[in-house]
Amino acid sequence: MNYGNRNISSTSSVSDLAKGYTGAVVTSCGIAFTSRTLMAKQLSALYVLANAGLSWLAAAFAGASNLMLMRFKELQDGI
């Protein structure tokens, strides 16, 4: 997806793609593992709802971090 949505006038290397992917995975897993660790002791219906919401939040932050890492050069230097 990152390669298909790239800006052709701004070069992207494989390293840039790897940074975006790695940043997204680390962000998503970090939020998911941290939130589940903090909520592991609570077993109730609220836990199930919070788990679903936190999964959505982790995916949203992963997408945002991927966007920022992939477009960082364009934000600094312009298009």
Side-chain angles (χ1 to χ4, degrees):
M1 190 65 149
N2 286 333
Y3 185 78
N5 289 332
R6 74 190 186 281
N7 182 358
I8 298 215
S9 64
S10 177
T11 59
S12 294
S13 65
V14 175
S15 173
D16 294 334
L17 293 172
K19 285 178 191 174
Y21 178 77
T22 303
V25 169
V26 167
T27 301
S28 179
C29 290
I31 290 172
F33 290 142
T34 302
S35 63
R36 283 178 178 82
T37 301
L38 294 174
M39 295 181 60
K41 295 180 176 87
Q42 300 187 14
L43 300 172
S44 66
L46 181 62
Y47 176 74
V48 174
L49 292 174
N51 193 21
L54 289 170
S55 296
W56 177 84
L57 187 67
F61 273 100
S65 67
N66 185 12
L67 173 75
M68 292 302 290
L69 289 168
M70 289 303 298
R71 302 293 183 186
F72 187 71
K73 271 197 252 181
E74 293 172 13
L75 290 170
Q76 275 189 327
D77 303 332
I79 296 176

